[in-house]
Amino acid sequence: MNVDELNLGIVGSGGDGVMVCGETIVSASALEGMKCLMLKSFGPQIRGGESSCKIRISRKKVAAPPDKLDILVAFNWNDYKRFGSELELQPEGVIIEEGEEGQEEPERALVGPQPKMIYRVPLTKLAKDSAGTRLARNMVSLGVMSQLFALPDKELKKSIAKMFSRKGEETTQNNLKAYQAGKDYAAQHFTRPEKLRLHRMKNGGKRLVMTGNDAIAYG
């Protein structure tokens, strides 16, 4: 079933690349011509603490972040505890988490409805195998989301290339490999079609991406 709006949440800690992951989705959505809004949240630590973001992607105008999520990406469930009340799932929501089928499942202290589906993905292993570093597991998760929920593939690749261009060609290509590894894993292991698939724009035109402060200054 194609939907006109997807509401995503991502949670993790320093080094998980939560914000990079979210900003890449926002950038790709803008290239596609979709409307998008991202809300960032941080723990009290100066560096390395828990962080989360909520992203609303829509074919229609959006004026506020989502109250509840269709998709939650949890890099670490201990970090979820800090933001649980902000990351409540819809009744039909799904989770993407670190792990493999057959492994002991983590304790999920979920706030609100239980997920309809949990996709367990060896994010760290895929990141190390494809990019040579666990730091790329945020890109692996992007690939999984792209495959399962029909996020804009071409635009995500462009956004990844732009995001890492200042770090050199090797880093850029490694992150693109990690993204593709996530797509391939989802295609091979999750053969049941996901109910929530983003209804994409046709000739929507590019959108401008700016922060709230940018928008105030521009106004």
Side-chain angles (χ1 to χ4, degrees), residues 137-157:
R137 64 185 192 152
N138 58 343
M139 296 296 107
V140 175
S141 72
L142 269 182
V144 174
M145 284 188 278
S146 174
Q147 180 66 29
L148 289 175
F149 308 106
L151 301 188
D153 177 68
K154 181 174 70 173
E155 288 76 13
L156 280 169
K157 290 177 179 177

Side-chain angles (χ1 to χ4, degrees), residues 1-6 71 144-151 183 192-200:
M1 178 181 72
N2 289 340
V3 295
D4 289 336
E5 179 174 301
L6 275 179
I71 305 156
V144 174
M145 284 188 278
S146 174
Q147 180 66 29
L148 289 175
F149 308 106
L151 301 188
K183 278 188 72 76
R192 182 186 66 83
E194 173 54 49
K195 179 180 177 181
L196 297 171
R197 292 182 67 80
L198 186 63
H199 188 192
R200 304 273 297 284

Side-chain angles (χ1 to χ4, degrees), residues 78-141:
N78 285 329
D79 297 317
Y80 172 85
K81 295 175 183 177
R82 172 68 176 77
F83 304 104
S85 60
E86 303 171 23
L87 299 172
E88 186 176 340
L89 285 170
Q90 302 272 13
E92 292 293 306
V94 301
I95 287 173
I96 298 171
E97 67 176 17
E98 174 80 59
E100 291 185 80
E101 292 299 328
Q103 288 184 345
E104 183 179 354
E105 296 196 11
E107 179 185 348
R108 307 179 187 98
L110 281 168
V111 175
Q114 294 299 302
K116 178 195 70 174
M117 182 70 182
I118 297 176
Y119 294 99
R120 308 203 73 202
V121 182
L123 299 169
T124 302
K125 182 178 186 302
L126 289 171
K128 288 181 177 179
D129 290 347
S130 59
T133 172
R134 74 181 298 277
L135 297 178
R137 64 185 192 152
N138 58 343
M139 296 296 107
V140 175
S141 72

Side-chain angles (χ1 to χ4, degrees), residues 196-208:
L196 297 171
R197 292 182 67 80
L198 186 63
H199 188 192
R200 304 273 297 284
M201 296 288 287
K202 292 183 179 179
N203 303 319
K206 295 181 180 179
R207 300 284 171 181
L208 182 64

